[in-house]
Amino acid sequence: MTLNDVWFLLIAVLWTGYFLLEGFDFGVGILLPILSRSESERRVLLNTIGPVWDGNEVWLLVAGGATFAAFPEWYASLFSGFYLPLLIILVALIVRGVAFEYRGKVDSDRWRRNWDRAIFVGSLVPALLWGVAFGNIVRGVALDSGHHYVGGLFALLNPYALLGGLTTLLLFVTHGAVFLALKTTGDIRYFARDLTKRIGVVTLVVAGGFLLWTQLSRGDAVTAATALVAAAALVGALLANWREREGWAFLATAGTIVAATATLFLALYPNVLPSTLDPVYSLTVTNASSTPYTLKIMTWVAVAFTPVVLLYQGWSYWVFRRRIGVQHIPQATPTPQPAPAPAGQR
């Protein structure tokens, strides 16, 4: 195994970690207007991810930075060809982050409702478009001999990629519902568990269809195994949720996302961006990579700093591991109103 292969594997791990952790963040944001009926319940939902959502987004930054440094040709062709979809994702993530920070700045129901809508849209759009993007990466795009994307925007909206987008959307919503059932008490917990029972079956059908399509078009024995693991884990999550074992259900949905992402990267390898015009024009782990010296330096940096990041993030999850409910949300103190002036002084 060369350093090119090692860094392809590391980038796959980074994207897997991002989908695993940010996946339930997106799910909670999408479920915000569905599972909450009052301001206290909305604050409960937001507080389940409040301490960790920004740390989860670091995985995306590192994955993008690692792609830029290890496979600059891949990065250049991907971000130039997918410019508009990636720009939309970036804007959605920025609006979502601002909404988390500014939602409580003004004591106004209208103000909070507007930022809640921003959280919903800022969670739904990336959850959908990441699947569309990776569907196109695995399927291949129109790359010419200079590794330039020569297709249009609508070429990216093909049936396979759209099914991939629907798959990630449903997987993240299911993952988020299971996370809420694990992290909350009271009505929200029961609502989230009931929603998982209903949406989980739809997710199983859609995700199963997408993985089957991937297997038939680009798969082999290894991808068949990981796809079966993903399907089995999702079935296990639904069974665990039905038996009210939220911890096992969350581990199972996490396993589903890990196995499904592994299936996509295994189906992609040794390409990093296939060309639908001519296989010779495809970007691979060899012709898209940086120099061996660059990859060597990156490897030493990753070995030094990755354990520190993992330990810190694991510690933060441990600190905020307990369930929360509306009883933990402090009630707003009414603003004192001035006493009315006597009738003679009006």
Side-chain angles (χ1 to χ4, degrees), residues 125-208:
V125 169
L128 177 67
L129 291 186
W130 280 130
V132 174
F134 271 85
N136 279 293
I137 292 173
V138 174
R139 174 182 176 271
V141 294
L143 290 181
D144 63 14
S145 59
H147 301 149
H148 301 129
Y149 177 66
V150 294
L153 174 63
F154 291 103
L156 300 177
L157 304 178
N158 55 82
Y160 176 78
L162 292 176
L163 182 60
L166 186 58
T167 298
T168 53
L169 175 62
L170 290 173
L171 273 178
F172 293 164
V173 170
T174 304
H175 195 40
V178 172
F179 176 77
L180 287 173
L182 174 66
K183 283 287 295 179
T184 61
T185 62
D187 290 342
I188 298 177
R189 178 185 180 187
Y190 301 123
F191 292 158
R193 189 189 300 157
D194 184 63
L195 179 64
T196 303
K197 295 177 183 177
R198 291 177 286 163
I199 200 171
V201 177
V202 179
T203 304
L204 180 62
V205 173
V206 173

Side-chain angles (χ1 to χ4, degrees), residues 47-109:
N47 285 352
T48 60
I49 59 175
V52 297
W53 71 267
D54 49 354
N56 294 341
E57 288 192 348
V58 172
W59 288 79
L60 173 62
L61 300 177
V62 178
T67 304
F68 172 77
F71 299 101
E73 285 277 356
W74 184 15
Y75 184 94
S77 297
L78 183 65
F79 278 76
S80 59
F82 292 26
Y83 181 80
L84 182 58
L86 292 177
L87 177 63
I88 294 173
I89 291 175
L90 178 61
V91 171
L93 292 176
I94 292 173
V95 171
R96 178 173 175 266
V98 171
F100 282 129
E101 299 296 336
Y102 278 80
R103 183 184 184 276
K105 297 297 185 181
V106 176
D107 186 16
S108 165
D109 290 338

Side-chain angles (χ1 to χ4, degrees), residues 153-306:
L153 174 63
F154 291 103
L156 300 177
L157 304 178
N158 55 82
Y160 176 78
L162 292 176
L163 182 60
L166 186 58
T167 298
T168 53
L169 175 62
L170 290 173
L171 273 178
F172 293 164
V173 170
T174 304
H175 195 40
V178 172
F179 176 77
L180 287 173
L182 174 66
K183 283 287 295 179
T184 61
T185 62
D187 290 342
I188 298 177
R189 178 185 180 187
Y190 301 123
F191 292 158
R193 189 189 300 157
D194 184 63
L195 179 64
T196 303
K197 295 177 183 177
R198 291 177 286 163
I199 200 171
V201 177
V202 179
T203 304
L204 180 62
V205 173
V206 173
F210 177 69
L211 292 177
L212 179 61
W213 193 340
T214 303
Q215 179 63 27
L216 293 177
S217 59
R218 303 191 60 87
D220 55 19
V222 178
T223 57
T226 54
L228 287 174
V229 169
L234 187 52
V235 171
L238 298 181
L239 293 176
N241 178 75
W242 182 70
R243 298 183 62 182
E244 301 182 4
R245 303 293 296 273
E246 290 98 346
W248 287 107
F250 182 74
L251 288 176
T253 55
T256 300
I257 293 175
V258 170
T261 308
T263 301
L264 295 182
F265 275 95
L266 287 169
L268 181 63
Y269 182 83
N271 295 318
V272 294
L273 192 60
S275 172
T276 57
L277 300 181
D278 190 329
V280 177
Y281 302 157
S282 298
L283 286 171
T284 68
V285 295
T286 302
N287 65 16
S289 70
S290 294
T291 63
Y293 183 69
T294 300
L295 296 178
K296 185 177 179 179
I297 293 177
M298 290 175 59
T299 302
W300 282 113
V301 172
V303 169
F305 290 100
T306 301

Side-chain angles (χ1 to χ4, degrees), residues 59 305-318:
W59 288 79
F305 290 100
T306 301
V308 177
V309 174
L310 293 177
L311 286 173
Y312 174 78
Q313 191 160 29
W315 174 80
S316 66
Y317 273 93
W318 175 257

